[in-house]
């Protein structure tokens, strides 16, 4: 039986200057576009980001993406020897995951469709984000 994850159970602090998690996520994604695509993102990429963010908003996943991205980025900052994989499975199909450094796989470059990550349009189930981390450091992020 596959476990489900309830994003409402997450406690995530949003800076007061943002009205909600979605607005904060959108700003973080836009900022990451400038960093990862310094010469600009293609029209296809820009449309893809809009589509992914719309699905994330509609399904209530903003806090989930922010939480997982911060978890991995903080772990990398605090622990110099923290190793994480590039992303695997369906996780690699999300451009937002790439922009938030959850994965290091650019789904545009490899033609990976977001629909594989998000599931069908009727699904409200939170998609699993596979975290491949050095097992000797797993207790750092799990505890």
């Amino acid at each position: 039986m596959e476990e489900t994850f309830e994003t409402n159970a997450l406690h995530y602090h949003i800076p007061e200057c943002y009205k909600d998690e979605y607005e904060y996520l959108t700003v973080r994604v836009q900022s990451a576009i400038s960093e990862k695509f310094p010469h600009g993102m293609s029209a296809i990429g820009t449309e893809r980001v809009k589509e992914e963010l719309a699905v994330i908003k509609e399904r209530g996943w903003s806090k989930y993406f922010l939480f997982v991205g911060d978890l991995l980025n903080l772990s990398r900052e605090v622990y110099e020897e923290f190793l994480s994989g590039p992303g695997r499975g369906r996780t690699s199909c999300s451009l937002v995951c790439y922009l938030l450094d959850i994965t290091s796989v650019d789904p545009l470059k490899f033609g990976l469709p977001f629909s594989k990550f998000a599931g069908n349009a009727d699904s409200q189930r939170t998609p699993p984000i596979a975290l491949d981390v050095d097992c000797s450091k797993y207790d750092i992020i799990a505890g």
Side-chain angles (χ1 to χ4, degrees):
M1 183 173 157
E2 190 172 306
E3 289 185 40
T4 59
F5 180 78
E6 179 56 51
T7 59
N8 291 332
L10 287 175
H11 297 286
Y12 188 87
H13 174 73
I14 303 299
E16 291 180 17
C17 59
Y18 301 101
K19 66 179 180 180
D20 58 22
E21 293 93 355
Y22 178 74
E23 181 181 32
Y24 186 46
L25 175 65
T26 301
V27 169
R28 298 254 313 257
V29 166
Q30 294 302 324
S31 174
I33 290 171
S34 301
E35 293 173 25
K36 296 223 183 222
F37 299 94
H39 301 292
M41 181 180 269
S42 69
I44 292 171
T46 300
E47 188 59 32
R48 169 83 174 254
V49 167
K50 287 179 188 175
E51 290 172 11
E52 287 194 26
L53 286 172
V55 169
I56 290 167
K57 180 180 183 179
E58 176 185 318
R59 297 186 186 178
W61 297 340
S62 299
K63 195 182 328 181
Y64 177 57
F65 278 77
L66 289 164
F67 182 85
V68 174
D70 284 356
L71 176 72
L72 285 171
N73 288 317
L74 180 62
S75 297
R76 290 179 194 122
E77 286 175 24
V78 173
Y79 302 99
E80 292 177 18
E81 296 175 10
F82 184 83
L83 300 174
S84 62
R88 67 177 164 92
R90 295 184 285 176
T91 308
S92 300
C93 296
S94 170
L95 184 55
V96 170
C97 281
Y98 173 66
L99 291 167
L100 295 176
D101 290 323
I102 293 170
T103 68
S104 60
V105 178
D106 178 354
L108 297 174
K109 181 177 180 180
F110 297 101
L112 303 173
F114 179 65
S115 59
K116 185 172 181 176
F117 173 76
N120 67 43
D122 297 330
S123 176
Q124 292 296 316
R125 188 179 61 80
T126 305
I129 294 180
L131 300 179
D132 291 326
V133 298
D134 176 355
C135 62
S136 70
K137 304 284 191 237
Y138 186 74
D139 60 326
I140 292 168
I141 65 167

